[in-house]
Amino acid sequence: MNTQRLEKVLKKMETEGLEQMIISDPYAIYYLTGRFIDPGERLLALYINQSGKNKIFINNLFTVPEDLGVEKFRFSDTDDYLTPLCDCVEAGKPLGIDKTFAARFLIPVIDHSGASSYKVSSICIDEVRACKDDEEREKMRAVSAINDKAMAQFRGLIHEGVTEEEIASKMLDIYKSLGADGYSFEPLVGFGANCALGHHGPDNTVLKEGDTVLFDVGCRKDGYCADMTRTFFYKKVPSEKHRAIYETVRRANAAAEAILKPGVPLCEVDKAARQIIEDAGYGPNFTHRLGHFIGLEVHEYGDVSSANTKVAEVGNIFSIEPGIYVEGEVGVRIEDLVLITEDGCEILNSFSKELDIVE
Amino acid sequence: MNTQRLEKVLKKMETEGLEQMIISDPYAIYYLTGRFIDPGERLLALYINQSGKNKIFINNLFTVPEDLGVEKFRFSDTDDYLTPLCDCVEAGKPLGIDKTFAARFLIPVIDHSGASSYKVSSICIDEVRACKDDEEREKMRAVSAINDKAMAQFRGLIHEGVTEEEIASKMLDIYKSLGADGYSFEPLVGFGANCALGHHGPDNTVLKEGDTVLFDVGCRKDGYCADMTRTFFYKKVPSEKHRAIYETVRRANAAAEAILKPGVPLCEVDKAARQIIEDAGYGPNFTHRLGHFIGLEVHEYGDVSSANTKVAEVGNIFSIEPGIYVEGEVGVRIEDLVLITEDGCEILNSFSKELDIVE
C-alpha cells in the first residue's frame, strides 16, 4: 500500500463523514496498492477503514506479491466471499461505495452487511488521483514524450493513396519501437470530412489533396496514458475558410493554455478557448468540453467544461482540446496535455501546432 | 426490439416472480435491440415490464435509429436522468437488476424508486442468450470458419528465431484480411515452458527446437466471437512424455465432444475429459474448467465445470478446452467451440487436432 496516497483518501473520507468504504475500481486499487488486476466478472474489493482495519479481497486466479501491505482474503470461484466481505463492514455506520461496484456484489452487501446507509463516494479517491504526485508527473512526462516522437513518425506515413486504416495499422508498432507498452486508446485517424465526425474510427477512406488529416492518438507506458491530437493538411490548404478554422482552433488552444495556473476555475479555462471560437462564428461547431483529466485512465474524474466551477490545482493533468467541426466538410482539433504547476503550467506535449502542409 | 428474444426474457422473469427489470449490460441491450452502445461511464439502461411499458435510456452522445422499437428517453450529461428512470419503476413491486448495474446508478434507484425489493436477475437474459437462435448459429459458424483459416496462416508464421511477440503482431492483419472485424480477445502465443502459464501474454521469448507452440486465439465478426486453441511442436517432439501429454489432451478433447447432446449434464462433460487426464496421472495439471459459453462475448454466462449440474440444451455454444500444464516444462491445450444440436453436436472448428510437427 502506498501509505501517503491512502492517508489522503482517508482524509477525504473524513470530510465526507465516512469511516469505512469499499473500493472496487481496478485503477483505484492499482493506485493504492501498486498492483493492477483486471478481475473481469470476479470480485475485487479493497475495504478501508479509518481504524486501519483494511482488507483486500482477491480471487486465487490472480497472483499478487506477499507484501502487498494490506491483509488479504483469497478465495476461489466456489468459495463464499460475500459473507467475509460483509463481516468486515462495521454495522450501524455508513458505508462508502465505489461508483463502479456492480449490482451482483452490492445487492448482497446491502442485504447482509448491516451498514446504516450506502453512499457513492468514489470522489474520495478520484479527487486524490486528480492531483498527481511526483512519481506520476514523471511518468506522464515520459509517456507524453513518446507520444511526441510517435506523432512525428505518424506524420511521415501521410502519402498519396494511403487509407486511414493503413496509417492506423502501423501505429502500434511505432509506439512499441519507441518504448510504449501499447495504446492508451484505439487511435482516431480521419481524412477530410471524416475529421468532423465525433468518434470516427479509421476506415478505407483514401487520402486526397486538400484533405485535413487528424490524428487523435495516445500510448500507455508504466500504467500512465498519453493523449494528443494534431491536424495536418495534405498538399494544400483548400480555402481561406479552412485556414481560418485551423488558426482559430490554434488560438483557442493557446488562449486556454495561457491562463492556466492554480486557482483558475476550470469553467474559465473552457471559456477562454470557447470565446475565441465563438468570436470567429464557430461556437455551435465546438461541440464538446475543452478537456478531461487523465492519468492511469484516459478519461479520469474531472473535466474542463462550462459546468465545472472547481479550480485548477497543482498536480492536475488534463487535456486542452478545442475543435471546430463542419459536417460534411472539415474538422480540426488540437490537443495537448498540461500539468498545473506552482506558478502556471507545463505543457507535456512539444510537437508543433503551427499549420503544417504535408507534401 | 427483437420481440421473440424479449418474449423469452419476459417468460424467464415470470418464473422468477418479476414484473419489471432494469437491463444495463451493453451486450444484453444489443441482443434485444440490435444496437450496440458502449456507454463508458454514462447511463445506458433498458427498463422492461410484463405490461409492455418498456423504455430505453440513452445519452444524446450516442446515435440510434428512430425505429428502435422501444420508447426512448434521451438526455445530455447535465440532465437529470435518474428521476425519469425511477419514475418508470412500479413502486411496491420487486425490481430485477442487471448484475453489472453500477453503484452510481443503483444506489439512487434504491433510494428513490420505491420498489419493494431488488434482485440480481441477469439470469433471465443470460439463460436466453445461452441458447443461440438460427441467426446467431450462422454467425458463430461464420466467425469460427475465419478462425480456422487464420490458424492455418498463424501456423505458417512459425520459423527459426521468431519471437512470440513477432507472431502475435501479425495476427490482427491476418484476421482482417480474412474478413474479421478484429480480435475477440488479445491472442495468447506461448513457446515451450510459457505454454504452462495460465494467462501468458506474448513476449520476446525466441522459438527453439522442441518447443511447443500454443495459439489461443479468436476473432470477432458481426458481433460474434470465435475462440480456438491449438498446440504445435517445433521441429521435434522432445520426449515421450511430451508426446504422451499431447495425446492425452487430444483424447480428453475428443472424449468430451463424443458425449455431447441435449440432456447431458455439463459436469459430466467436464468429467469425461478430466477422467482421461486423471487416468494418465496429470489430474492436478488440468487446472481449470473444461469450457465456457460464448457468443456476443468471449465469456458468457454458463460454463462446463464440475460444479455445473445443468444439462446441455439445443443451441448452447461453448468451448471444450482441456489442457495439461507442467510448470517450467510444457503446456498443451486443445480447444474447439461446439454447438449442441437436436441429436448431438456440431464442432464449429475444423482445424486438425492431430499432433503436428512444424518444420
Side-chain angles (χ1 to χ4, degrees):
Chain A
M1 290 277 266
N2 185 315
T3 49
Q4 275 191 317
R5 293 178 184 175
L6 179 63
E7 281 309 312
K8 288 182 198 164
V9 172
L10 290 168
K11 210 162 193 173
K12 289 270 182 196
M13 283 169 59
E14 215 180 311
T15 66
E16 298 279 322
L18 283 171
E19 287 184 34
Q20 54 181 351
M21 178 172 177
I22 291 175
I23 300 170
S24 60
D25 174 2
Y27 290 99
I29 289 176
Y30 174 78
Y31 181 73
L32 291 174
T33 67
R35 192 75 187 178
F36 188 84
I37 294 167
D38 175 2
E41 70 270 26
R42 297 182 171 88
L43 174 75
L44 175 69
L46 171 62
Y47 171 86
I48 59 174
N49 190 303
Q50 301 285 354
S51 71
K53 203 192 69 171
N54 309 323
K55 197 182 274 190
I56 190 163
F57 293 76
I58 308 177
N59 192 292
N60 287 330
L61 278 178
F62 309 109
T63 53
V64 284
E66 255 322 297
D67 58 340
L68 206 59
V70 53
E71 191 187 337
K72 290 191 279 285
F73 180 85
R74 303 303 303 264
F75 57 92
S76 71
D77 285 348
T78 50
D79 292 337
D80 171 21
Y81 43 85
L82 287 168
T83 304
L85 177 60
C86 290
D87 287 348
C88 267
V89 177
E90 278 189 51
K93 292 180 178 175
L95 177 64
I97 297 283
D98 212 336
K99 60 181 182 280
T100 61
F101 203 47
R104 65 187 174 283
F105 308 128
L106 177 57
I107 288 178
V109 165
I110 289 176
D111 288 346
H112 300 295
S113 82
S116 61
S117 64
Y118 301 88
K119 188 174 172 184
V120 181
S121 48
S122 314
I123 202 171
C124 300
I125 309 156
D126 291 344
E127 288 194 344
V128 175
R129 283 176 59 189
C131 290
K132 271 63 183 172
D133 58 30
D134 288 344
E135 183 190 332
E136 294 183 286
R137 293 178 201 182
E138 259 325 300
K139 288 181 176 168
M140 288 298 293
R141 285 185 189 103
V143 74
S144 293
I146 294 176
N147 213 19
D148 279 333
K149 285 184 197 156
M151 185 63 84
Q153 294 198 33
F154 300 160
R155 183 188 183 281
L157 300 173
I158 300 170
H159 64 82
E160 190 74 39
V162 75
T163 68
E164 294 169 357
E165 205 167 48
E166 279 164 11
I167 291 184
S169 72
K170 296 196 169 71
M171 289 180 162
L172 188 59
D173 284 346
I174 290 173
Y175 274 132
K176 289 194 170 172
S177 74
L178 292 168
D181 299 324
Y183 287 141
S184 52
F185 58 94
E186 288 288 319
L188 301 179
V189 174
F191 295 163
N194 290 346
C195 304
L197 302 170
H199 281 84
H200 171 74
D203 64 18
N204 56 7
T205 301
V206 176
L207 183 64
K208 57 183 196 304
E209 189 174 313
D211 274 348
T212 44
V213 176
L214 186 150
F215 295 150
D216 186 347
V217 293
C219 55
R220 186 184 283 275
K221 168 88 177 164
D222 294 336
Y224 285 79
C225 297
D227 187 3
M228 170 170 49
T229 307
R230 290 293 183 269
T231 308
F232 305 95
F233 284 92
Y234 181 54
K235 290 216 163 150
K236 67 175 186 192
V237 180
S239 76
E240 275 317 301
K241 181 180 174 186
H242 283 75
R243 184 181 295 275
I245 286 174
Y246 187 92
E247 290 300 339
T248 302
V249 174
R250 193 183 59 73
R251 285 189 299 119
N253 171 280
E257 292 178 357
I259 65 163
L260 288 172
K261 63 177 180 183
V264 173
L266 293 164
C267 54
E268 291 297 320
V269 180
D270 181 272
K271 196 178 171 192
R274 202 168 298 276
Q275 193 65 55
I276 284 176
I277 292 176
E278 280 174 7
D279 291 349
Y282 290 105
N285 302 87
F286 178 19
T287 48
H288 53 74
R289 62 191 178 184
L290 182 64
H292 56 84
F293 281 55
I294 185 169
L296 291 170
E297 294 170 275
V298 180
H299 287 192
E300 294 195 343
Y301 170 81
D303 69 7
V304 186
S305 70
S306 61
N308 193 353
T309 54
K310 288 193 181 160
V311 301
E313 289 182 58
V314 174
N316 285 168
I317 295 183
F318 47 77
S319 66
I320 295 291
E321 47 179 310
I324 294 177
Y325 314 101
V326 184
E327 208 185 312
E329 204 172 334
V330 62
V332 171
R333 182 165 64 252
I334 301 175
E335 173 187 23
D336 297 312
L337 297 188
V338 299
L339 160 65
I340 302 297
T341 56
E342 299 289 347
D343 52 1
C345 85
E346 181 181 328
I347 299 172
L348 300 183
N349 296 106
S350 59
F351 193 92
S352 169
K353 292 177 273 195
E354 298 304 309
L355 192 153
D356 183 358
I357 301 169
V358 180
E359 286 302 327
Chain B
M1 291 277 266
N2 185 314
T3 49
Q4 276 191 315
R5 294 177 184 176
L6 179 63
E7 281 309 313
K8 289 182 197 166
V9 173
L10 290 168
K11 209 161 193 176
K12 290 269 180 196
M13 283 168 59
E14 215 179 312
T15 67
E16 299 278 322
L18 283 172
E19 287 183 34
Q20 54 181 351
M21 179 173 175
I22 291 176
I23 300 170
S24 60
D25 175 1
Y27 289 100
I29 289 175
Y30 174 77
Y31 181 73
L32 291 173
T33 67
R35 193 75 186 177
F36 189 84
I37 294 167
D38 175 2
E41 70 271 26
R42 296 181 170 90
L43 175 75
L44 175 69
L46 172 61
Y47 170 86
I48 60 174
N49 191 304
Q50 300 285 354
S51 70
K53 204 192 70 171
N54 309 323
K55 198 182 272 191
I56 191 164
F57 293 76
I58 308 176
N59 193 293
N60 287 329
L61 278 178
F62 308 110
T63 53
V64 284
E66 257 320 298
D67 58 340
L68 207 59
V70 52
E71 190 186 339
K72 291 190 280 283
F73 180 86
R74 303 302 304 262
F75 56 93
S76 71
D77 285 349
T78 49
D79 292 338
D80 171 20
Y81 44 85
L82 287 168
T83 304
L85 177 59
C86 291
D87 286 347
C88 267
V89 177
E90 279 188 51
K93 293 182 177 175
L95 177 64
I97 297 283
D98 211 337
K99 60 182 184 281
T100 60
F101 202 47
R104 65 185 173 284
F105 307 128
L106 177 55
I107 289 179
V109 165
I110 289 177
D111 288 347
H112 300 295
S113 82
S116 60
S117 65
Y118 301 87
K119 188 174 172 186
V120 181
S121 49
S122 314
I123 203 171
C124 300
I125 308 157
D126 290 345
E127 288 194 344
V128 175
R129 284 175 58 187
C131 290
K132 271 63 184 172
D133 58 29
D134 288 344
E135 182 189 332
E136 295 184 285
R137 293 178 202 182
E138 259 325 300
K139 287 181 176 169
M140 288 299 293
R141 285 186 190 104
V143 73
S144 294
I146 295 176
N147 213 17
D148 279 333
K149 284 185 199 154
M151 185 63 84
Q153 294 198 32
F154 299 161
R155 183 188 182 281
L157 300 172
I158 300 171
H159 65 81
E160 190 75 39
V162 76
T163 67
E164 294 169 357
E165 205 168 48
E166 279 164 12
I167 291 184
S169 73
K170 297 196 168 71
M171 289 180 162
L172 188 59
D173 284 345
I174 289 173
Y175 274 132
K176 288 193 172 172
S177 73
L178 292 168
D181 299 324
Y183 287 141
S184 52
F185 58 94
E186 288 288 319
L188 301 179
V189 174
F191 296 164
N194 290 346
C195 304
L197 302 170
H199 281 84
H200 172 73
D203 63 19
N204 56 7
T205 301
V206 177
L207 184 63
K208 58 183 195 305
E209 190 174 313
D211 274 348
T212 43
V213 176
L214 186 150
F215 294 151
D216 186 347
V217 293
C219 55
R220 187 184 284 275
K221 167 88 177 162
D222 294 335
Y224 284 80
C225 297
D227 187 3
M228 172 170 48
T229 307
R230 289 294 183 268
T231 309
F232 305 95
F233 285 91
Y234 181 56
K235 288 215 166 155
K236 68 175 185 191
V237 180
S239 76
E240 276 317 301
K241 181 181 173 184
H242 282 74
R243 184 179 295 274
I245 286 174
Y246 187 92
E247 289 300 338
T248 302
V249 173
R250 193 183 58 73
R251 284 190 299 120
N253 171 280
E257 291 178 358
I259 65 163
L260 288 172
K261 63 177 180 183
V264 174
L266 293 165
C267 53
E268 292 296 320
V269 180
D270 181 273
K271 196 178 170 190
R274 203 167 298 274
Q275 192 66 55
I276 284 175
I277 292 175
E278 281 174 7
D279 290 349
Y282 289 106
N285 302 87
F286 178 19
T287 47
H288 53 73
R289 61 190 179 186
L290 182 64
H292 57 84
F293 282 53
I294 185 168
L296 291 169
E297 294 171 275
V298 180
H299 287 193
E300 295 196 341
Y301 171 80
D303 68 7
V304 187
S305 71
S306 61
N308 194 352
T309 54
K310 287 193 182 160
V311 300
E313 289 182 57
V314 175
N316 285 168
I317 295 183
F318 47 78
S319 66
I320 296 290
E321 48 178 311
I324 293 177
Y325 314 99
V326 184
E327 207 185 312
E329 206 172 332
V330 62
V332 172
R333 183 166 61 252
I334 300 175
E335 173 187 24
D336 297 312
L337 297 188
V338 298
L339 161 66
I340 303 297
T341 57
E342 299 289 346
D343 52 1
C345 84
E346 182 181 328
I347 299 173
L348 300 183
N349 296 107
S350 60
F351 193 91
S352 169
K353 292 177 273 195
E354 297 303 309
L355 192 152
D356 184 357
I357 301 170
V358 180
E359 286 302 327

